[in-house]
Amino acid sequence: MLLGVSQGSRPSVAGQRLGAPESMGISTLEPGQRPPTMPPGRQVSIRVQMLDDTQEVFEVSVRHYLLSVVFIFFILLHWTLDIYCIPTLKQIRRPKNTILRFVVKFFPPDHSQLLEELTRYLFALQIKHDLACGRLTCNESSAALLVSHIVQSEIGDFDEVQCKQHLLNNKYIPEQDALMDKIIEYHRKHVGQTPAESDYQLLEIARRLEMYGVRLYPAKDREGTKLSLAVAHSGVLVFQGHTKINAFNWSKVRKLSFKRKRFLIKLRPDLNVSAPLIDTLEFMMGSRDCCKVFWKICVEYHAFFRLFEEPKPKPKPVLFTRGSSFRFSESPSAGQVMVNGQKQSLSLGQSPDRRQPSPLTSPLLTDAGFVRTDDEDEVRRKRFPTDKAYFIAKELLTTERTYLKDLEVITVSFQKCVGKDEAMPDSLRNLIFANFEPVYKFHETFLNDVEQRLAQWEGRSNAHIKGDYQRVGDVMLKNIQGLKLLTAHLQKHSEALLELERTCRSSRRLEGLCRDFELQKLCYLPLNIFFLRPLHRLMHYKQILERLCKHYPPTHADFRDSRAALADISEMVVQLHGTLIKMENFQKLLELKKDLTGVEDLAIPGREFIRLGCLSKLSGKGLQQRMFFLFNDVLMYTSRGMTASNQFKVNGQLPLYGMTVGNILFISDHNINSDVSFSSVYYITSLTVPTAAVSASEMEKWVEDIKMAIELADKCNGSSAEILSSSFTDSKSPEESSADQESEDDLSASRTSLERQTPHRGNTTVHVCWHRNTSVSMVDFSVALENQLSGNLLRKFKNSNGWQKLWVVFTNFSLFFYKTHQDEFPLASLPLLGYSITVPSESENIHKDYVFKLHFKSHVYYFRSESEYSFERYSTNTNLILFRMDSTANNPSVVVLVT
C-alpha cells in the first residue's frame, strides 16, 4: 500500500461491504491479535482516507510509525503489501490539516496470488479509483465491462430501473453516459455473480490492460521527445502518451542510477549480436528530486518482485557519504517476503531455497542481484487441476476468446468502417450485420459461461462450494442448444459473402473500402475468412466434444451431457457442411484473385481450386522459378512481377479437358541443364512445359492432383473450358510454346502493361509458398482452418536466454503473437509453411518440459506449453498441417507437361 499526502478529501459514500470496523481494534480475520503498544510521548490525530473513500482517525505518537497502525488495521497477512509512507510524523508540517491516502503500491501480475477476499476487495477498490480518475485507460468495451462488474458488486443482480438509477448517481468512468447502454447490457449477463466473484472478474480484466498499475513519470529522451517512464513487476517501461513503446526487463537491466536530472539505465550486453550496441540509455526528468523518487520506486519494485531477502546495509562511513543511503526494506509489521507469489518466512541470513544471502548491498542491479522469473508459471501450474477434461475445457475457453475477437472484426470494426461511408447499399448492410450481430451477442454470453465455469473449476470462485463444477459438458449442451436456434443466421453468412463480392464488382468505391479495411492490422486474415468463421467454429466444437467424450468413461457425471452436445453439434455440421465446402472454395478463389493479374475472372461458376505452389519451369535461361495454380479445369503458371503489389502475372493457361495421361517415363538426358537430375517425365498431350519440383514427394503431389483434375474436367464435358477459351493469355502456337524462350528480360518488359496496381499485403499464402518453395492444396487449407488453436505459450529464440510469454493464435498456416488475448491486433506473425517441427535434442540444453521446436534453415524457435495436453495439441496440430506439406528434398524432380 501507499500513503500519500493530500490536502483535500472527498465525502465518504462507499458502503462497508465487508463490515469494516468503526475503530481500530482486534482483527476479524486473526482473533487475538491486537494493535501495537503506543510508545510514550505526544500523540497526534491523523486522518487517513481509505480506498473506499472513508476516513479513519488514528491517534499516533509523533515518534511512531503510522505504517504499523494502518497495517494492523487491515491485517493483510496473505499478501505482503509494502507501505510507502512518511516514517515519522515529524516530516508532516501540519498533521491536523493533512489527509493521508491509503492506496495500492505494488500491483501483482496475477491476482490469483491474493488469497484473502478482503485483499482482493481492496485491490478492486484501487482499480475502481483508477478508472474514475482516468488513470486506467482502456477501450470502450473494456471500460463498460469493468464498470458492469463494479455495479454487480455494488447493487447485486440486474434490475434495469435500479441499474440506471445507480449509474446516474455514481460516476465510475469519465465518459459514462455514452456507455450507459453497453454497461447495462453487460450487467444483465452477471446474474448470480457474488461480490467476491465480481471483484475477481474485475481484477482479471484489469490486469490484462496495458495501463494496469502504471504510474507515469514525465521524461524526455536525448532528442527532447516527450515520454513517460513507469515501473512494473517486469521491469522499467517507456510510454509515449498512453502507448507503451519500450520495456526493459529486469533480466536485461544491469544497473539503474541517476545523476542530477538524468535517469540512466545500463543494459546487459547482448552476446548474440556482434555489432556493439548502446548499453546505456539516458532520460531527462523534471528535476533531481523527481529523478530520485522514480529511482527509489524502481529499486523497491525490483527488490519486492525479484529479491529473496532484504539487502544488508553498508557500514556508515566515518568522514563523509557519497550517493544515496536509501535501502529497500519490508514493512516492520509484516516480516514476510514474496517468492513467485508464495509467502515465505526467512531465517536471518538465509534465502528460501537455502542458498547463500544475496550479495546485493545497494539499490544498483548487479548480476547477482536478481532471480530469473522465467518459471513463474510453474507454481501456478501445480495449483491447477490435472484432469484432462479441465485442459479440454480450457482449450474451449481460449479458442472462444479468439473466435469472439474474430466476430468483432465484422460486427464492430467492419460495421464502423462502412458506417462512415455510404458505399454499401442498405440491403447488403442489413444482410451482413443483421445476421452477424445475433451470433456475436450469443457468443458473448457463451464465453462468459465458460469463463465462470473455469473460474469455479480452478477454485477461483466461491461458487464451487455450491456444487460439483469440474465439468463442462453441461455448459456446452445448454449453449449448443441455443446455437441451433441461430442456424438460419449461419446459413445467411454465405449469402452475405456472395452478395458482398457481387456488389464490389459493380462498385469501385465499396471495393476500395473493403481493400483498405483488409490492410488494417486488426484484419490479420483475409476479410473473406472472417465471414466463414462461424461455420468453422462448429467444426471446432465438434472436435472438442469428441475429445471430451473419448476421455470420459460412460459412468462420468458429465458424459451424458457431452454426448448429447456432440449429437446436436454433429447434426448442425452435417446440415451446413455442404455450404462450408462451397464457400471455402469461393473464398479461396477470391483470395487468389487478389494475388493474380492477367486473368479476367478467376471465380467463374463451376471452378474448383485444387493446389498452388512453386515449381521451376524450363526456359531459355534454364529452370526459372514459377508459381503454378491448379484448378479443376485449367493449370496456370505465373511469374512474380516487380510491382508495388507483388502480384503474379499469368503467363500461360493449360486447359485440362481432353488431355491424355501417358506413362511416367524415366530419362537420363532431355537436352536440359546437366546440373539437374531428372527422375521422371510426365506427358500430357502436345505442349511441352518441363518443370522441376523440389522433391520427389512434392512432384508426386502435383502428379496425383493433376490426374484428379483431368478426371474432374472430363466429367464437366468441357463446359468450363469453353468459358476459359476467351481469356487465354498464352496465345502462342504449340510449336512456339514448345520452344518457349521466356527470360527475365521478357518479364521486365511486360511489367509496364500490368493491370492497375492496388495496395496488397505481401504475406499471403501465395507469397509465402513462393519464398519457401513449397505448395499447398485446398484440403490443406481446410485442415488448417478447422484446426485452430489459441492460448499462452512461452517463446524463446535460438540464442536468447529467457522465455517470453505471449498469447498465440495458430490458424491459416501461421502463428500470430499477441501480448494478451485482449489485444486488438497481433504484434507479429510467423508463417509456418516450409517449417519443420521437432523436440529439442540434449545438445540444445533446453531443460524444460513441454517444449517443441520449429525450424526452417537457420531460423529456430522454441515454444513451451503450460501442460502436457497443450503441448500435444500444439505439436500434433502443427505437425499434422506441416506434414501434409512436407517438401524436404535432396534433388529436384522434374514433371514435363506436354499438350
Side-chain angles (χ1 to χ4, degrees):
M1 294 294 178
L2 167 70
L3 282 174
V5 180
S6 174
Q7 300 294 333
S9 65
R10 294 193 300 171
S12 176
V13 294
Q16 301 290 335
R17 194 191 83 190
L18 297 177
E22 296 182 358
S23 61
M24 180 184 60
I26 300 174
S27 168
T28 57
L29 299 179
E30 299 289 339
Q33 187 166 7
R34 296 184 179 278
T37 304
M38 294 294 179
R42 184 170 62 91
Q43 294 188 350
V44 179
S45 297
I46 293 296
R47 286 185 296 170
V48 178
Q49 183 167 319
M50 300 303 176
L51 286 165
D52 61 353
D53 291 333
T54 61
Q55 292 185 8
E56 299 292 337
V57 179
F58 297 91
E59 297 291 334
V60 184
S61 169
V62 175
R63 298 179 179 179
H64 192 270
Y65 284 83
L66 179 61
L67 156 66
S68 301
V69 182
V70 180
F71 196 85
I72 293 297
F73 179 80
F74 279 101
I75 312 296
L76 301 176
L77 297 180
H78 291 270
W79 173 269
T80 305
L81 294 171
D82 187 65
I83 302 180
Y84 176 60
C85 69
I86 300 171
T88 66
L89 301 182
K90 291 182 180 180
Q91 297 177 351
I92 303 179
R93 294 181 178 179
R94 297 179 179 178
K96 293 183 179 180
N97 300 326
T98 299
I99 298 175
L100 301 180
R101 294 186 59 196
F102 193 76
V103 298
V104 170
K105 180 178 183 181
F106 298 120
F107 288 80
D110 183 6
H111 58 281
S112 64
Q113 298 172 355
L114 305 176
L115 304 182
E116 286 294 340
E117 180 184 346
L118 173 58
T119 314
R120 291 194 294 270
Y121 173 55
L122 294 175
F123 271 90
L125 289 177
Q126 182 64 62
I127 297 301
K128 175 182 171 183
H129 183 271
D130 288 352
L131 273 174
C133 68
R135 179 179 287 163
L136 182 60
T137 58
C138 55
N139 58 40
E140 293 182 353
S141 180
S142 297
L145 187 57
L146 287 166
V147 174
S148 69
H149 285 295
I150 296 175
V151 174
Q152 176 70 18
S153 176
E154 293 284 343
I155 68 174
D157 288 345
F158 177 76
D159 178 88
E160 187 167 0
V161 176
Q162 184 184 12
C163 181
K164 286 184 177 180
Q165 190 62 41
H166 183 80
L167 290 173
L168 291 173
N169 297 333
N170 299 272
K171 295 295 182 182
Y172 296 111
I173 49 177
E175 303 296 332
Q176 183 169 298
D177 293 341
L179 298 178
M180 184 83 73
D181 293 339
K182 205 164 191 176
I183 296 171
I184 292 174
E185 184 64 28
Y186 281 132
H187 184 207
R188 191 192 308 270
K189 301 174 184 179
H190 302 330
V191 174
Q193 191 169 283
T194 66
E197 293 171 338
S198 297
D199 289 346
Y200 188 93
Q201 294 298 329
L202 181 72
L203 296 176
E204 174 68 21
I205 299 167
R207 77 180 180 93
R208 301 180 184 278
L209 299 176
E210 190 163 67
M211 298 301 293
Y212 165 70
V214 170
R215 303 294 183 254
L216 298 176
Y217 295 82
K220 295 181 180 179
D221 61 12
R222 289 184 176 180
E223 286 73 32
T225 304
K226 292 184 178 180
L227 303 171
S228 296
L229 299 180
V231 62
H233 71 280
S234 59
V236 182
L237 313 177
V238 183
F239 285 81
Q240 193 165 37
H242 286 87
T243 302
K244 185 170 68 175
I245 61 175
N246 212 338
F248 304 102
N249 194 282
W250 295 127
S251 62
K252 300 294 184 183
V253 176
R254 188 167 69 89
K255 180 180 179 180
L256 293 178
S257 60
F258 69 95
K259 187 176 183 179
R260 297 184 179 89
K261 295 182 180 182
R262 292 183 298 156
F263 182 77
L264 305 173
I265 304 177
K266 193 163 188 177
L267 303 176
R268 300 178 184 278
D270 191 346
L271 301 178
N272 301 320
V273 179
S274 58
L277 299 177
I278 298 176
D279 64 343
T280 302
L281 301 172
E282 182 179 308
F283 299 91
M284 297 294 294
M285 304 193 79
S287 66
R288 179 187 181 278
D289 290 342
C290 293
C291 209
K292 185 174 181 179
V293 166
F294 182 67
W295 170 77
K296 283 185 175 182
I297 294 173
C298 291
V299 171
E300 292 170 332
Y301 259 81
H302 174 264
F304 187 82
F305 286 104
R306 303 282 286 188
L307 292 185
F308 282 112
E309 60 187 22
E310 299 179 20
K312 295 180 180 179
K314 288 182 177 180
K316 293 184 178 180
V318 178
L319 297 178
F320 61 89
T321 62
R322 183 178 181 181
S324 174
S325 61
F326 173 76
R327 300 291 181 269
F328 173 79
S329 61
E330 292 291 334
S331 58
S333 60
Q336 311 280 334
V337 70
M338 294 301 296
V339 179
N340 288 338
Q342 297 298 313
K343 185 175 64 176
Q344 303 286 341
S345 297
L346 298 181
S347 302
L348 185 61
Q350 192 176 43
S351 60
D353 59 353
R354 308 300 179 187
R355 286 187 277 179
Q356 292 299 316
S358 169
L360 183 66
T361 56
S362 72
L364 304 181
L365 305 181
T366 62
D367 289 342
F370 64 89
V371 180
R372 298 192 64 83
T373 56
D374 292 337
D375 297 325
E376 61 183 1
D377 289 338
E378 298 286 347
V379 176
R380 294 182 58 202
R381 185 189 303 160
K382 294 177 182 178
R383 298 206 313 268
F384 284 170
T386 57
D387 184 11
K388 184 178 180 179
Y390 162 76
F391 294 106
I392 296 175
K394 192 167 184 179
E395 181 185 336
L396 171 65
L397 170 65
T398 55
T399 53
E400 189 70 13
R401 284 173 173 169
T402 298
Y403 173 54
L404 196 63
K405 281 288 185 183
D406 288 348
L407 290 178
E408 285 182 358
V409 172
I410 299 295
T411 58
V412 179
S413 304
F414 187 57
Q415 185 172 10
K416 185 178 180 180
C417 177
V418 298
K420 299 177 182 177
D421 199 295
E422 297 180 355
M424 179 176 287
D426 291 339
S427 58
L428 177 58
R429 191 190 308 268
N430 293 333
L431 178 63
I432 295 175
F433 303 118
N435 288 290
F436 265 90
E437 286 179 349
V439 177
Y440 174 70
K441 291 180 179 179
F442 169 82
H443 284 281
E444 277 189 315
T445 305
F446 188 7
L447 176 60
N448 187 62
D449 289 347
V450 179
E451 286 179 334
Q452 290 189 8
R453 176 55 54 87
L454 264 294
Q456 295 162 351
W457 202 330
E458 294 172 356
R460 294 187 280 115
S461 168
N462 293 335
H464 70 280
I465 300 175
K466 303 174 184 178
D468 177 20
Y469 288 100
Q470 294 187 357
R471 54 180 180 168
V472 73
D474 57 333
V475 176
M476 292 284 287
L477 178 60
K478 181 189 75 172
N479 284 278
I480 287 176
Q481 289 175 342
L483 186 60
K484 290 179 69 175
L485 302 178
L486 300 175
T487 302
H489 292 290
L490 298 177
Q491 291 173 332
K492 288 287 185 178
H493 291 173
S494 59
E495 183 180 337
L497 178 57
L498 290 169
E499 187 61 29
L500 176 63
E501 170 61 17
R502 190 178 298 116
T503 308
C504 284
R505 289 184 181 182
S506 59
S507 172
R508 285 288 183 90
R509 190 175 176 183
L510 180 59
E511 181 187 15
L513 194 67
C514 294
R515 184 177 62 249
D516 292 342
F517 177 77
E518 197 171 36
L519 292 174
Q520 296 182 20
K521 291 182 179 180
L522 58 87
C523 192
Y524 66 101
L525 296 173
L527 177 61
N528 297 329
I529 289 183
F530 292 100
F531 281 84
L532 302 183
R533 273 295 191 246
L535 298 180
H536 290 139
R537 190 58 180 156
L538 300 181
M539 302 293 295
H540 301 162
Y541 292 146
K542 183 173 181 290
Q543 293 170 1
I544 288 172
L545 284 166
E546 286 173 344
R547 287 194 294 276
L548 199 62
C549 291
K550 185 177 180 180
H551 167 68
Y552 282 142
T555 56
H556 195 280
D558 202 29
F559 180 76
R560 179 176 296 179
D561 288 340
S562 301
R563 284 294 298 269
L566 176 59
D568 287 343
I569 198 66
S570 298
E571 180 182 345
M572 293 184 67
V573 167
V574 171
Q575 184 178 357
L576 297 171
H577 184 69
T579 301
L580 175 61
I581 296 299
K582 292 179 181 178
M583 297 316 298
E584 279 185 341
N585 179 72
F586 181 65
Q587 181 275 325
K588 182 51 59 178
L589 292 176
L590 296 181
E591 183 181 340
L592 295 179
K593 178 183 176 183
K594 299 173 185 176
D595 284 310
L596 294 177
T597 181
V599 59
E600 191 168 319
D601 190 3
L602 196 68
I604 62 175
R607 172 170 286 167
E608 296 179 13
F609 166 71
I610 298 177
R611 178 174 290 276
L612 67 85
C614 203
L615 295 170
S616 295
K617 175 182 173 291
L618 184 66
S619 67
K621 291 188 177 182
L623 290 173
Q624 301 290 330
Q625 185 177 355
R626 298 289 178 262
M627 279 297 293
F628 281 71
F629 297 84
L630 177 63
F631 304 92
N632 65 331
D633 57 352
V634 66
L635 174 67
M636 300 180 184
Y637 58 92
T638 67
S639 58
R640 188 184 184 187
M642 299 298 291
T643 64
S645 60
N646 286 327
Q647 289 175 297
F648 288 84
K649 176 73 165 62
V650 177
N651 297 115
Q653 301 187 52
L654 307 177
L656 298 182
Y657 176 69
M659 288 187 178
T660 58
V661 182
N663 297 324
I664 297 178
L665 303 178
F666 295 91
I667 60 177
S668 58
D669 184 13
H670 202 269
N671 296 323
I672 306 178
N673 293 354
S674 58
D675 58 338
V676 178
S677 174
F678 284 78
S679 59
S680 63
V681 178
Y682 195 65
Y683 289 100
I684 304 177
T685 64
S686 59
L687 177 61
T688 303
V689 186
T691 57
V694 295
S695 68
S697 61
E698 188 75 5
M699 180 269 295
E700 290 173 1
K701 294 176 185 177
W702 278 102
V703 169
E704 291 180 4
D705 284 347
I706 291 173
K707 285 182 178 180
M708 178 182 67
I710 291 175
E711 293 178 0
L712 293 174
D714 290 340
K715 290 180 180 178
C716 294
N717 295 323
S719 57
S720 298
E722 294 175 2
I723 301 175
L724 287 171
S725 60
S726 61
S727 62
F728 282 170
T729 59
D730 195 342
S731 57
K732 299 180 182 180
S733 64
E735 292 77 10
E736 293 173 328
S737 299
S738 61
D740 187 10
Q741 299 296 317
E742 181 183 20
S743 67
E744 292 302 318
D745 296 334
D746 299 329
L747 292 176
S748 61
S750 66
R751 286 176 194 133
T752 58
S753 61
L754 296 180
E755 295 178 354
R756 63 185 182 91
Q757 302 302 318
T758 58
H760 185 58
R761 285 184 173 177
N763 61 346
T764 63
T765 306
V766 176
H767 287 82
V768 175
C769 286
W770 171 264
H771 289 291
R772 304 279 170 82
N773 203 6
T774 187
S775 70
V776 293
S777 68
M778 189 64 220
V779 177
D780 298 328
F781 280 107
S782 299
V783 171
L785 292 173
E786 292 169 8
N787 288 273
Q788 177 174 304
L789 285 174
S790 305
N792 288 312
L793 286 177
L794 295 174
R795 183 184 66 178
K796 179 182 180 300
F797 296 104
K798 180 180 180 180
N799 297 319
S800 62
N801 296 323
W803 295 83
Q804 182 184 18
K805 187 174 183 180
L806 296 167
W807 176 264
V808 181
V809 175
F810 176 41
T811 186
N812 202 35
F813 309 116
S814 297
L815 293 176
F816 296 91
F817 303 107
Y818 304 75
K819 285 192 298 183
T820 70
H821 73 269
Q822 292 182 323
D823 289 356
E824 296 295 331
F825 53 83
L827 301 173
S829 63
L830 176 63
L832 297 183
L833 294 175
Y835 270 77
S836 299
I837 179 170
T838 58
V839 294
S841 62
E842 287 292 331
S843 61
E844 294 172 274
N845 295 321
I846 306 294
H847 303 298
K848 302 292 182 182
D849 294 332
Y850 316 134
V851 177
F852 60 92
K853 171 185 174 183
L854 288 172
H855 50 96
F856 171 74
K857 296 183 178 178
S858 61
H859 302 280
V860 178
Y861 303 92
Y862 302 97
F863 293 92
R864 284 171 58 194
S865 305
E866 65 177 0
S867 65
E868 182 180 2
Y869 174 82
S870 179
F871 168 77
E872 290 177 353
R873 290 288 294 137
Y874 270 101
S875 58
T876 303
N877 267 23
T878 308
N879 192 46
L880 170 67
I881 295 172
L882 296 184
F883 179 78
R884 293 186 56 88
M885 300 167 292
D886 182 19
S887 58
T888 304
N890 294 322
N891 295 315
S893 300
V894 175
V895 181
V896 178
L897 305 180
V898 185
T899 63

